[in-house]
Amino acid sequence: MRSNCLTLIMLCVFCLPFIFGGCGDSNDFLPDPTSEVYGVVVDDLDEDGVLDIAVATYIFDQGAAYYATVIVNDQNSPGDFFPANANRLLRDCCLDSIASGDLNQDGFKDIVISGYNDGSVSILFQNSTNPGNFLRPIRIFVGTQISYLAIGDLNEDGFNDIAISGYNGPHLSILFQDSTNPGNFSPLVSLDITSNSVAIADIDGDFINDIALAGGGKVKLLFQDPVTPGNFLASMTLNAGNAPKNVKIGDLNKDGNPDIVVGDGTSRDGTPGGVDVLLQDNINPGQFLPSVNYDFGCSTEEISLGDLNDDGFLDVAAATWCSGCRISILFQDISNVGTFLPAINYSCQQTEIGFGAWSIAVGDMNGDNFNDLIISENGLVIRLQDPAAPGTFSNRIIVYKPR
């Protein structure tokens, strides 16, 4: 994510947060100059069968206060949310990415959040005796300018590990969970590959997880060595766009082979915009066809994959920067699966420091079996999909706006 906010944030001063939940029409919403929300993740955090939200938050007015904020969905009334629970983090600056997964083998999802400038990750274990609430964060120093995180088993021991992308040393790193002492992690392992984002999945169909990353103007794949789990073969480089900056993995054309989608900071002609799609060659697992660029004129900050029009195929939602704030949706062309129609755009509100949307997630937030959009922009916002008109989304509904 972005680092040029740091100077502005350091000029701000600290105040206590005023936290609220619930929903409302935001058409008349005015920007609040005292807070910012960044990375967002959607998951069933309290194991009640409905999706919840966690978001990285700044609240500042005399220094800066940093939070992993959890917003629990109401199981009895999906789409309504309990008051937000802001978990204070001790760090210098600044929050970036947030991810969820079971990191201590207790059956409950935990949260890990990166600090871009101070080079640390904070792990918040869920309180299994009080689901939806989290224990005090454990902070692990990694390096400088770390960015996106991904959670998955990367050494075939049945325990989730944490992959951490980084612009500077130690670059791409892994925290392997100690299978003999769940919830604890072995010393950091650096793979020394520059990266601004990372994703984990079994890419080549050998039933063990691999790593995809973007950074340095390239997309790279690291296939796990099946002979020595936890070790990776030499990276494979793929060309995709001019400035790939966010990578996601999903089977776009339903051939059983995961494909890769990356956000593009600049388009082919040098103007900002687009996403790039790399379909896996179903004849040669682990090999990919040339990338196809879909340029919609905005610099893409983050993407998320999900079926966004109820046709059974994955679509792409992109949080972007344009001259203003914009969300772009690329629906698959089901007459030619694996390809996408021109982008459909929705406006959003610029953040208080003048940027577009930071982060975007996809999930069914109101229990109607249609995926919705969860967006980190000027506040945390949901756009509900209209089940009567699949592929269309409601006006902005503010779920959380800290002060």
Side-chain angles (χ1 to χ4, degrees):
M1 290 186 182
R2 291 159 241 175
S3 61
N4 51 353
C5 68
L6 304 186
T7 301
L8 288 174
I9 291 168
M10 296 303 291
L11 295 175
C12 299
V13 288
F14 170 78
C15 69
L16 293 176
F18 173 73
I19 307 297
F20 64 89
C23 301
D25 190 341
S26 63
N27 291 335
D28 297 325
F29 176 73
L30 296 175
D32 184 337
T34 62
S35 62
E36 196 90 357
V37 293
Y38 293 93
V40 62
V41 66
V42 169
D43 206 340
D44 182 4
L45 295 174
D46 57 356
E47 297 295 324
D48 66 354
V50 295
L51 294 176
D52 311 299
I53 306 170
V55 62
T57 308
Y58 288 137
I59 303 169
F60 43 88
D61 185 27
Q62 291 194 8
Y66 312 104
Y67 296 84
T69 302
V70 176
I71 306 159
V72 174
N73 208 345
D74 186 345
Q75 179 187 31
N76 297 316
S77 181
D80 293 327
F81 296 87
F82 294 107
N85 182 8
N87 301 269
R88 178 72 180 266
L89 305 179
L90 300 175
R91 61 175 69 251
D92 299 324
C93 192
C94 291
L95 306 186
D96 203 329
S97 173
I98 189 167
S100 61
D102 185 357
L103 291 170
N104 59 357
Q105 212 72 0
D106 66 353
F108 286 89
K109 303 292 176 58
D110 308 303
I111 292 171
V112 60
I113 188 166
S114 67
Y116 176 87
N117 205 46
D118 76 346
S120 71
V121 296
S122 294
I123 300 171
L124 290 86
F125 293 108
Q126 190 165 177
N127 185 348
S128 59
T129 63
N130 190 12
N133 292 275
F134 291 78
L135 305 176
R136 292 179 63 86
I138 297 172
R139 190 180 185 188
I140 300 174
F141 287 95
V142 177
T144 59
Q145 293 187 348
I146 62 173
S147 188
Y148 281 89
L149 308 162
I151 294 174
D153 181 3
L154 290 171
N155 58 356
E156 285 299 288
D157 65 355
F159 292 77
N160 281 329
D161 310 303
I162 305 170
I164 307 158
S165 62
Y167 295 92
N168 291 334
H171 304 298
L172 178 67
S173 306
I174 300 174
L175 286 168
F176 288 105
Q177 190 174 174
D178 183 352
S179 60
T180 65
N181 192 10
N184 291 273
F185 292 84
S186 301
L188 188 76
V189 174
S190 172
L191 302 185
D192 198 27
I193 302 174
T194 299
S195 54
N196 58 41
S197 70
V198 61
I200 295 173
D202 175 14
I203 296 173
D204 58 356
D206 63 356
F207 303 104
I208 57 177
N209 280 329
D210 309 301
I211 294 173
L213 59 91
K218 302 291 183 181
V219 172
K220 294 185 178 181
L221 306 182
L222 295 172
F223 295 107
Q224 191 173 171
D225 186 348
V227 178
T228 56
N231 292 279
F232 294 83
L233 306 176
S235 63
M236 174 191 293
T237 299
L238 305 174
N239 292 315
N242 292 334
K245 60 186 302 186
N246 186 243
V247 60
K248 294 293 167 62
I249 302 170
D251 184 1
L252 299 176
N253 54 5
K254 289 195 169 182
D255 65 355
N257 299 306
D259 308 302
I260 295 173
V261 184
V262 293
D264 195 355
T266 58
S267 66
R268 303 279 179 189
D269 63 3
T271 59
V275 298
D276 286 82
V277 174
L278 298 98
L279 297 178
Q280 189 166 173
D281 184 349
N282 59 15
I283 299 175
N284 300 294
Q287 301 292 319
F288 287 78
L289 303 177
S291 69
V292 177
N293 175 257
Y294 297 88
D295 185 354
F296 44 78
C298 293
S299 176
T300 300
E301 178 64 17
E302 187 176 69
I303 57 175
S304 188
L305 306 182
D307 182 1
L308 292 170
N309 58 357
D310 201 38
D311 64 359
F313 290 89
L314 292 177
D315 307 302
V316 181
T320 72
W321 304 359
C322 297
S323 55
C325 188
R326 183 184 298 175
I327 302 301
S328 296
I329 302 173
L330 286 80
F331 295 111
Q332 265 203 78
D333 182 353
I334 59 173
S335 66
N336 187 16
V337 294
T339 67
F340 291 83
L341 301 171
I344 303 297
N345 298 312
Y346 289 83
S347 63
C348 51
Q349 287 195 357
Q350 288 190 167
T351 68
E352 65 179 35
I353 52 178
F355 293 118
W358 289 96
S359 183
I360 191 165
V362 170
D364 177 12
M365 302 309 299
N366 60 350
D368 63 357
N369 297 315
F370 289 81
N371 280 326
D372 310 305
L373 302 175
I374 304 90
I375 306 158
S376 173
E377 42 170 284
N378 193 350
L380 182 66
V381 168
I382 290 178
R383 287 183 179 269
L384 298 173
Q385 188 172 177
D386 183 353
T392 62
F393 294 85
S394 71
N395 291 332
R396 301 169 66 256
I397 299 170
I398 298 175
V399 175
Y400 173 65
K401 183 68 175 81
R403 295 182 62 88

